[in-house]
Amino acid sequence: MLKQLPADLQIDRLPRHVAVIMDGNGRWAKSQGLPRIMGHRRGADTLKDLLRCCSDWGIGALTAYAFSTENWGRPLEEVDFLMSLFERILRRELKEMMEEDVRIRFVGDLSLLPSSLQAEIAQSMADTANNQGIQFTVATNYGGRQEIIQACQAIAQQVQAGTLEPTAITEELFAKHLYTAGIGDPDLLIRTSGEMRISNFLLWQLAYAEMYITDTLWPDFDRQEFHNALISYQKRDRRFGKVK
Ligand code: IPE
Ligand code: IPE
Ligand code: MG
């Protein structure tokens, strides 16, 4: 295992924040002749490995899309399995996350999650809040449009109450009302399984992210695959609309 940063990567040009759309669990399971849920189970192991890899290689923040606001439309048994998987993983991994100094945070409308999962989430966020290692964000019941709407509602209420001038609504102020407040925007977005779309993920925050799409299915996305993504990222010329 590549514990150290591979020699062909430049340490001073690593993304500070990596976001991943973990897609392809169902297709992976199908390819193995297994039920879809087995793909999710394997996908959870992949995420754990990626978190540790980011931490080993000195990447400060990882954000993973675990469940979208649209994913409620899946068969009930798949949704139920995912909710109980999230809960089991949190319970099982909390001790290790403490040892590895991970700060975990969940973003999305958490109020619609099963209450036992909400309790596990609250516990893990509270326990790891003062850790100093990697910032690990899990988007659960997350939708980019929903996030923007709830920010608008909060801001509109302040305007209505007379505590905020409309002209004081800046990009900085708006970003403070998003779930990701305090976490910098992703530098690199990875999507597995070849789909070339955002699927309602971090619509605001991805404005200038570099995108890396691979045909590899999420359960097969290992350190070598992540290494390839970082090589690709380091070849990019990030212009941010300017000329050199
Ligand atoms: C991603 O894998 C995991 C979640 C959306 C929870 P999928 O379940 O979307 O897998 P495919 O796209 O059907 O292969
Ligand atoms: C995006 O994957 C959501 C997550 C990875 C949690 P989907 O499989 O839900 O996205 P679509 O349906 O292919 O756009
Ligand atoms: Mg999918």
Side-chain angles (χ1 to χ4, degrees):
M1 281 300 240
L2 301 158
K3 179 96 180 144
Q4 306 282 339
L5 185 70
D8 56 357
L9 289 174
Q10 294 166 252
I11 192 156
D12 54 338
R13 293 198 60 216
L14 284 173
R16 280 157 303 173
H17 181 179
V18 173
V20 278
I21 301 178
M22 312 184 284
D23 198 14
N25 291 349
R27 277 163 282 174
W28 179 88
K30 194 169 178 219
S31 76
Q32 309 284 314
L34 297 169
R36 290 179 57 83
I37 56 169
M38 296 306 283
H40 298 315
R41 185 181 282 175
R42 181 62 85 90
D45 296 338
T46 302
L47 179 58
K48 186 182 169 183
D49 287 348
L50 181 64
L51 175 64
R52 183 162 299 142
C53 182
C54 285
S55 185
D56 287 347
W57 292 358
I59 289 166
L62 174 68
T63 297
Y65 202 5
F67 194 87
S68 75
T69 48
E70 289 73 33
N71 287 149
W72 296 109
R74 295 186 176 208
L76 187 62
E77 85 166 6
E78 181 171 343
V79 171
D80 282 350
F81 178 85
L82 283 167
M83 294 300 151
S84 60
L85 179 69
F86 299 153
E87 207 176 309
R88 265 183 288 135
I89 297 172
L90 267 183
R91 213 175 293 130
R92 194 178 67 204
E93 303 297 334
L94 185 56
K95 189 165 160 271
E96 215 167 310
M97 286 195 291
M98 288 305 289
E99 282 162 13
E100 296 184 6
D101 220 12
V102 174
R103 251 174 315 162
I104 193 170
R105 180 158 156 188
F106 283 77
V107 295
D109 182 359
L110 306 179
S111 71
L112 295 179
L113 301 175
S115 54
S116 52
L117 175 56
Q118 286 185 47
E120 219 56 66
I121 286 174
Q123 181 82 52
S124 66
M125 292 198 348
D127 286 3
T128 66
N130 295 320
N131 286 353
Q132 299 298 312
I134 189 165
Q135 170 80 65
F136 178 39
T137 305
V138 187
T140 312
N141 191 24
Y142 174 89
R145 288 185 171 181
Q146 191 271 339
E147 176 183 44
I148 289 170
I149 293 291
Q150 68 78 33
C152 289
Q153 287 176 349
I155 291 168
Q157 271 162 7
Q158 290 178 36
V159 172
Q160 191 181 39
T163 56
L164 181 69
E165 286 294 323
T167 50
I169 304 171
T170 59
E171 289 187 15
E172 287 69 31
L173 180 123
F174 195 82
K176 284 195 184 119
H177 286 85
L178 298 173
Y179 295 131
T180 51
I183 308 170
D185 289 345
D187 299 297
L188 171 63
L189 171 71
I190 296 171
R191 182 165 188 154
T192 54
S193 89
E195 301 314 341
M196 310 237 183
R197 51 179 174 258
I198 305 253
S199 298
N200 205 10
F201 191 39
L202 301 176
L203 296 180
W204 172 280
Q205 298 88 340
L206 291 174
Y208 266 102
E210 293 296 327
M211 299 178 49
Y212 178 84
I213 293 169
T214 171
D215 286 336
T216 301
L217 303 174
W218 177 251
D220 292 326
F221 191 84
D222 59 11
R223 274 182 190 224
Q224 185 54 54
E225 297 278 345
F226 185 50
H227 182 186
N228 295 344
L230 293 176
I231 296 265
S232 169
Y233 173 82
Q234 293 202 333
K235 288 190 188 133
R236 312 280 178 94
D237 179 15
R238 301 188 77 191
R239 287 187 290 277
F240 298 97
K242 302 182 178 75
V243 288
K244 289 250 165 86

